Amino acid sequence: MKTTAQAVIIGGGVVGASVLYHLTKLGWSDVVLLERAELTSGSTWHAAGGFHTLNGDTNMAALQGYTIKLYRELEEITGLSCGLHHVGGVTLADNADRFDMLVAERAKHRYMGLETEIIGPEEIRKIAPITNTDGILGALYDPLDGHLDPSGTTHAYAKAARMGGATIETHTMVTATTQRADGTWDVVTDKGTIHTEHVVNAGGLWAREVAAMAGIYAPLHPMEHQYIVTDDVPEIVARDSEHPHVMDPAGESYLRQEGRGLCIGFYEQPCRPWAVDGTPWSFGAELLPDDLDKIEDSIEFAYNRFPALARAGVKTVVHGPFTFAPDGNPLVGPVPGMRGYWSACGVMAGFSQGGGVGLMLAQWMIHGECERDVTAMDVARFGGWITPGYTRPKVIENYQKRFSVAYPNEELPAARPHRTTPMYDIFTSHGAVWGHQYGLEVPNYFAQGDEPTFETPSFRRSDAFDAIAREVKGVRSNVGITEVHNFGKYRITGRHARAWLDRIMAGRIPKEGRISLTPMLSPKGKLLGDFTVSCTGENSFHLTASYGAQAQHMRWFLQHQEDGVSIENISDKLNGFSIAGPRATDLLAACTRDDTAMRFLDTRPMTIGQTACTVQRVSYTGDLGYEIYCDPMDQRALWTTLWTAGQPMGLSLFGMRAIMSLRLDRHFGSWMREFSPDYTAKETGMDRFIQWDKDFIGKEAAVADNPDRALVTFVVDATDTDVTAYEPIFLDDEVIGFCTSGGYSHHLGKSIAFGLIPKAQVAEGLRVEVELLGDRRPATLITTPLFDPDGSRLRA
């Protein structure tokens, strides 16, 4: 066995084999895969082998499309068969909400180049004749759906990797991973030790145990999963072509042809986590005992939906474990704080996603970044706060909702509340209806009177519409208050702090007492962050950005840290409030003896009541406003001061739903909507914040960038639903772009949408159509904000 390698992959399932192949495809040949038994010995060998493109995240859907198209290439390269069956598939909708979801997904597919279509019951019966369409409104048909041979596919990846120079060692047990002082790794096995620069954890069912060898907690949990293969079915035997897949979300089932019979699997509600305290190393190519009682209700439902099943005998029951992350997406990328340690775990849909995961991870390892935004599967999307006690109930919830309707405003309840601020009980007493971000409870809105204390999930304007309108009016008419806990916050200090920030950030670094807005770019010029930078002292800076991106941002900061620079994540060590509205200055002045005369983008220390604070003259509401930061231990005292002084002024609470409405009035973009690693500064308008006469990471790419599309704003002639994201934009019946986000401006009484379209088409008054739940609505491009167009109120 080799004693050195550039990269060592631990785990010989389909994901590990895909990573190995893609590393060789991109130019690395000194790579080794270690497998404790035979290839495919974990979840891979007993997988049903289905693949599909449907995914709520467009980047994940695109990577699934890449994976599916890759299989033919693998067959051509290796001469091995992946056992491909491109039979197509239908996903059924039995109610209006589910049909809305499928129509919204089809709309996304228009600009993604996926040839899906919405079909009715009659077409369903023609395509998938064993389906009982009673109660079915329609379905999404995808010609790319199909299934394959799990073992053959994994061995095709492996052979292609070997052809590229990779080495595979089976029956080689990894017993330790130890990091040396220089950051490289010793991977210890029962056959010797390999010294390597990079370790990839593709351990599948054993990923938790492999991670623990390096002192890492991987937020994963295996779940028992069961599917049934029937004897011959006459309706299948009589066909002259293979029956397509059928996904029946109402019955929590997926069905396909297997030989001359059928294979049907279930995501049942009475599900069961497996190996709660760890996957046994002795577990291998075996199955769990049959447990048909667990899926009894699902089987009964399936017999009604597919009557042919009821007449078929059961040939085989396959009951085995699969590993899930809390949100069901993979855990991929560099583990924060662990140089050279990479994750490729939790890829539950390995035959839909494995190729894309392998490609993205290989790009990340070799080039330092991926060609597309992979936030949805970034291992850093979960922070250091996550525990097994949180992971398990979230995994169970995700399993149970695998086929549920995914609403844009839905809040899932499992493992909540988990993290709260000192304001939690006070806000609850004021009617807070809670959402969450990155494990933290965040008020979506505050219910009063007979307003709903639970926001009903919907694709249309929700039952919280009036409550949100009331909060928006409170801000625009008087003054509103909300918490600033859901900002990521960082303290940068040291003698080289300014020079370091000048290199890390593309924008201007402010003078003492001032604030600047700046993008942070990757070497390829893609957006990595949207930051507010405050200079609080000669060598002291306070940064704010998206709360949910903390781990990604800290990972980037630490990768580029230099001597003379101290970097601290203070996201939960600094809290406070945002006040906004025409009376915001009056409120501030009523609470302090300090001078409140501040210019827009000023920052200064101030004593408010009895609390030492830092006050910033900035507001995401687009209105006159301030952000007031303090020690969380002082936050309740600060609240009492502000709330008491504000009552004569009509001070009211507002939550995240109102914020996301208020930002529309000033055309303010949002992180992971208008600004994300998918986009560059120039195409999103963030280039106006770049200081071009200095050197910074990504400058060469940013200067050379000449995008053919631009971010613009539309007023949409909507009815009862508004843009959420990725709706197609039509001009003369041609899809020319897509929406990044939108919503209803309660202050303006208009539906607003942001979108990316060709620069050549950008013109005031351009008339287009935006597809909302299958209805193409007229929309008009506007270049000037309808509220405070010259910013005089914002800067007052």
Side-chain angles (χ1 to χ4, degrees), residues 51 152 213 220 263 270 637:
F51 54 78
M213 292 178 186
L220 299 164
C263 167

Side-chain angles (χ1 to χ4, degrees), residues 475-757:
V475 172
R476 291 286 186 248
S477 301
N478 294 300
V479 58
I481 186 169
T482 193
E483 204 170 6
V484 290
H485 57 328
N486 61 331
F487 286 152
K489 312 174 193 82
Y490 313 90
R491 182 181 291 123
I492 312 297
T493 57
R495 67 185 187 279
H496 294 156
R498 176 176 292 277
W500 183 80
L501 281 171
D502 248 333
R503 186 173 69 88
I504 292 294
M505 299 295 171
R508 178 182 56 83
I509 304 305
K511 297 178 180 179
E512 187 170 348
R514 293 289 288 166
I515 300 168
S516 68
L517 308 177
T518 173
M520 184 170 71
L521 305 182
S522 76
K524 294 183 179 179
K526 297 296 185 73
L527 293 171
L528 293 183
D530 169 23
F531 282 83
T532 299
V533 179
S534 306
C535 183
T536 55
E538 183 179 354
N539 297 308
S540 178
F541 298 86
H542 171 209
L543 278 56
T544 58
S546 169
Y547 188 84
Q550 284 175 59
Q552 287 101 324
H553 287 156
M554 278 300 293
R555 180 175 63 196
W556 186 255
F557 292 159
L558 294 175
Q559 284 174 355
H560 294 85
Q561 188 172 13
E562 300 170 353
D563 290 340
V565 180
S566 175
I567 304 167
E568 183 183 4
N569 183 353
I570 57 170
S571 298
D572 299 318
K573 297 178 182 178
L574 196 65
N575 209 339
F577 302 97
S578 171
I579 58 173
R583 301 206 64 185
T585 302
D586 296 339
L587 174 58
L588 187 64
C591 298
T592 183
R593 298 181 63 83
D594 293 335
D595 182 8
T596 59
M598 299 177 69
R599 297 171 296 166
F600 181 61
L601 299 181
D602 271 354
T603 180
R604 71 173 60 158
M606 197 176 292
T607 300
I608 299 178
Q610 63 194 44
T611 306
C613 301
T614 298
V615 179
Q616 299 191 160
R617 178 69 171 78
V618 67
S619 175
Y620 189 52
T621 64
D623 215 317
L624 168 65
Y626 303 84
E627 291 172 0
I628 306 169
Y629 294 93
C630 68
D631 187 317
M633 294 293 287
D634 299 328
Q635 190 179 2
R636 291 168 76 102
L638 177 60
W639 161 260
T640 300
T641 298
L642 293 167
W643 187 250
T644 302
Q647 292 314 293
M649 305 176 193
L651 178 64
S652 58
L653 282 157
F654 65 102
M656 281 302 300
R657 297 282 191 258
I659 291 173
M660 297 308 283
S661 173
L662 289 160
R663 67 154 183 132
L664 300 173
D665 301 348
R666 285 284 304 159
H667 301 189
F668 285 174
S670 178
W671 183 246
M672 293 311 298
R673 291 175 172 87
E674 284 63 56
F675 314 129
S676 86
D678 268 336
Y679 310 135
T680 66
K682 285 183 180 176
E683 64 189 351
T684 57
M686 289 292 282
D687 57 319
R688 69 187 185 276
F689 298 116
I690 290 179
Q691 183 178 345
W692 294 101
D693 61 353
K694 69 169 188 175
D695 290 326
F696 55 86
I697 294 174
K699 179 178 179 178
E700 184 177 353
V703 169
D705 184 33
N706 184 26
D708 58 5
R709 62 184 182 179
L711 181 68
V712 295
T713 306
F714 295 98
V715 174
V716 184
D717 181 14
T719 53
D720 64 343
T721 187
D722 304 294
V723 161
T724 54
Y726 302 113
E727 294 84 352
I729 299 169
F730 290 84
L731 179 64
D732 298 330
D733 280 337
E734 178 186 355
V735 175
I736 63 166
F738 62 92
C739 297
T740 53
S741 76
Y744 189 78
S745 166
H746 290 274
H747 179 67
L748 299 174
K750 298 181 183 295
S751 186
I752 304 293
F754 302 131
L756 285 163
I757 66 169

